[in-house]
Amino acid sequence: MTSAIVLCGGLGTRMGKTGIHEQKVMSKVCGTPLLELILTQVCASVPAPAPVVLLTGHRGADVAAAVPDWHRRVDARIEGVSECAPGAVGVLHLAERLPAPVLIVAGNVLLPYTRLLPHMLEQWSTDGRPVTAGSRQWRTEGHHTVNAQDTTVTSWHRLPHRESGRYEVVDSYLITSQVLSLMRAGSEPISHTRALAALVPHGAVAFREFTGDWLHVQTPADLAVAPSRKDILCPPLPWSSSPVPPGPERPTWPASSPPA
């Protein structure tokens, strides 16, 4: 079994007033909350009974208020957990309590996850390595990029490089117990991306290319999706035509701490 964490606790400082009054992941894209569009795809990509957990932080109440409805309409596996500590510590504490390997996706990156996450799980099942995904369709500035050869990440760059053969990461990662061990190895926990970068020189990180369209929401301008992209990024919601059978029931975890 595996599990999925959707990161949705960012401060959203680049969203301006929108980020002050609303959690960024709850911003509307094509009339639907961004996080709802992401969850529809993620839940369809991660086989049951794997848990799907929303790690909230800033304005977590915005997300928590929507969880009961998503639990009913999208998938009964969806649960919200607030950060016990910010950043890498919060991710580590939650990931250690979930079935490995753990898929981590960003709550502000929208793409057809049904076309990506199953391939990442397939790649992991081949050799047990953690997996990073990247795209040649550049969407952002100041974001990580990687070099890759076949199915292996060969180098990791903290700043973007647009040269041929490099990919911008799409904030989708499949982390293993090896990554978690490295995150906690030092005097202070490090992020999963830093742990993955440290494994790259050893050929220990697998790679999957994503070739479709994707949206990285950083500013309010990113919420305006051109009609030509709408059908790809915002496909009809499955419950718009028929009810969605709920997944297996899961216990509700306290909002103040990760599950024990």
Side-chain angles (χ1 to χ4, degrees):
M1 192 167 82
T2 186
S3 53
I5 297 175
V6 183
L7 304 179
C8 42
L11 296 177
T13 53
R14 284 172 286 193
M15 295 294 288
K17 291 182 179 179
T18 301
I20 295 175
H21 299 295
E22 181 180 54
Q23 168 53 237
K24 176 169 58 177
V25 301
M26 297 303 295
S27 301
K28 298 289 182 65
V29 177
C30 304
T32 302
L34 171 62
L35 184 55
E36 183 170 325
L37 292 169
I38 292 170
L39 285 172
T40 302
Q41 294 270 341
V42 170
C43 290
S45 306
V46 182
V52 178
V53 186
L54 312 179
L55 183 58
T56 66
H58 174 65
R59 295 197 64 92
D62 295 352
V63 176
V67 167
D69 189 39
W70 291 335
H71 195 264
R72 176 178 59 84
R73 291 190 297 115
V74 182
D75 198 301
R77 294 177 292 164
I78 298 171
E79 298 291 346
V81 174
S82 61
E83 292 181 342
C84 61
V89 176
V91 174
L92 176 61
H93 284 183
L94 176 56
E96 287 184 318
R97 290 162 171 77
L98 293 172
V102 181
L103 281 161
I104 298 181
V105 301
N108 67 324
V109 176
L110 176 61
L111 55 83
Y113 286 102
T114 53
R115 292 176 48 194
L116 175 63
L117 299 186
H119 291 297
M120 295 177 69
L121 287 166
E122 179 184 29
Q123 183 64 50
W124 166 77
S125 69
T126 299
D127 57 21
R129 291 183 297 170
V131 189
T132 294
S135 171
R136 296 192 190 200
Q137 301 294 322
W138 306 104
R139 294 295 179 204
T140 57
E141 297 293 335
H143 208 211
H144 296 181
T145 58
V146 298
N147 280 64
Q149 184 174 1
D150 296 326
T151 60
T152 298
V153 178
T154 57
S155 60
W156 187 292
H157 310 278
R158 304 283 300 176
L159 294 176
H161 295 270
R162 301 312 198 221
E163 291 86 350
S164 176
R166 293 188 178 176
Y167 302 83
E168 180 172 357
V169 297
V170 294
D171 282 345
S172 297
Y173 312 95
L174 183 62
I175 64 172
T176 62
S177 56
Q178 181 185 22
V179 177
L180 294 175
S181 295
L182 195 55
M183 289 175 69
R184 74 171 90 87
S187 57
E188 296 290 337
I190 62 173
S191 68
H192 56 282
T193 56
R194 293 184 72 92
L196 287 164
L199 291 172
V200 163
H202 307 286
V205 180
F207 177 76
R208 293 299 301 200
E209 181 178 3
F210 175 71
T211 57
D213 193 10
W214 59 293
L215 178 69
H216 190 167
V217 175
Q218 295 180 301
T219 70
D222 298 325
L223 299 172
V225 174
S228 61
R229 303 174 67 196
K230 182 176 179 180
D231 288 343
I232 299 173
L233 294 172
C234 311
L237 300 175
W239 53 84
S240 62
S241 56
S242 60
V244 176
E249 290 292 336
R250 292 191 55 79
T252 300
W253 298 332
S256 60
S257 63

